[in-house]
Amino acid sequence: MATLNKTGLNICEIDSEYPNQTNTSSCDCGRYTSKVNNCFFNFDSINDEIPAGSVINSATLRLAQVSGGYSTTQTILITLRSGNWGAFTWNSQPPVAATGPTVQLSGTSAGNRDFNVTTLIQWIVDNNSPAHIFKLERVPNTLTGSTDAKRFSTTASNHALLITYTPPTPPTPPTNLSQSPNAFETTLRLSWTKGNDGTNNPITGHDVRYQTSD
């Protein structure tokens, strides 16, 4: 089993009260009295480091919560966003690449909060996707419902993406190749013993090639 750990590169907060502004000096997620805040967390691309065909055993989005906000239990939706990192606003956000889990978060004390994003990382590998931006948003992402904001560190390197995976291994070649009848006749029957499947890489068929000569 292999591991890949990523450290956060950028954070960004967007605010429904100021839909055309970006805030990188705050990282709140949830509803305050008259506004809703969402957060984006940016990491390096993953698809160029995990081989195609790998199985993601576990993937944890570890975010550093800081003290403050409200103690009410909050429902948060995590989505994966495509595109390059930029100055996002409420009215201009990177498009959704894949939808992840909905999680519960409570309390106002500081500490790391772990979110299971295994399905999102598997989606990146299966689709060879360069998406690497995670968005946290309140559910519902409106001014309705309870007041339940949480605060996260504005230091991007305090956040991490921790992945364990099993890379594919190649199958073994076929053995005991034989031919019948004689190779100089007009027809030929080939036979062989199938090789062993690789890890996450089964044998699904064989290509047989021939060539003519003088």
Side-chain angles (χ1 to χ4, degrees):
M1 190 180 304
T3 62
L4 176 64
N5 297 335
K6 293 283 191 179
T7 299
L9 299 177
N10 309 94
I11 64 96
C12 175
E13 176 193 285
I14 59 175
D15 187 333
S16 64
E17 191 173 25
Y18 306 100
N20 294 310
Q21 294 182 16
T22 301
N23 191 353
T24 57
S25 60
S26 179
C27 195
D28 297 344
C29 181
R31 178 197 169 192
Y32 284 94
T33 304
S34 60
K35 60 184 179 179
V36 177
N37 295 335
N38 299 163
C39 291
F40 294 93
F41 301 85
N42 185 41
F43 296 86
D44 267 333
S45 295
I46 296 163
N47 64 316
D48 56 0
E49 296 190 52
I50 299 180
S54 295
V55 170
I56 304 302
N57 303 107
S58 67
T60 299
L61 179 63
R62 177 166 291 170
L63 303 180
Q65 185 175 342
V66 297
S67 58
Y70 294 91
S71 59
T72 311
T73 298
Q74 179 181 16
T75 301
I76 295 175
L77 171 65
I78 301 174
T79 54
L80 179 67
R81 301 290 171 136
S82 60
N84 296 322
W85 182 257
F88 308 129
T89 68
W90 192 272
N91 288 338
S92 178
Q93 301 182 29
V96 176
T99 300
T102 300
V103 300
Q104 302 291 317
L105 192 58
S106 61
T108 60
S109 59
N112 288 332
R113 305 293 182 257
D114 288 353
F115 306 104
N116 185 341
V117 292
T118 302
T119 57
L120 288 179
I121 304 304
Q122 187 69 66
W123 184 90
I124 289 175
V125 173
D126 292 345
N127 293 276
N128 191 27
S129 172
H132 52 84
I133 302 168
F134 294 83
K135 179 187 177 185
L136 268 65
E137 64 184 72
R138 178 181 182 268
V139 181
N141 201 28
T142 65
L143 287 174
T144 61
S146 61
T147 302
D148 54 10
K150 308 301 174 188
R151 289 184 169 173
F152 296 95
S153 172
T154 57
T155 302
S157 59
N158 287 340
H159 311 300
L161 190 58
L162 313 174
I163 304 168
T164 64
Y165 65 96
T166 302
T169 59
T172 60
T175 57
N176 302 321
L177 178 65
S178 64
Q179 57 189 28
S180 175
N182 186 287
F184 296 101
E185 309 227 0
T186 57
T187 60
L188 181 66
R189 180 186 297 273
L190 298 177
S191 64
W192 60 82
T193 301
K194 174 180 173 290
N196 296 320
D197 290 337
T199 303
N200 306 326
N201 193 12
I203 296 172
T204 59
H206 294 85
D207 290 331
V208 179
R209 302 183 182 185
Y210 73 94
Q211 68 181 32
T212 60
S213 70
D214 295 334

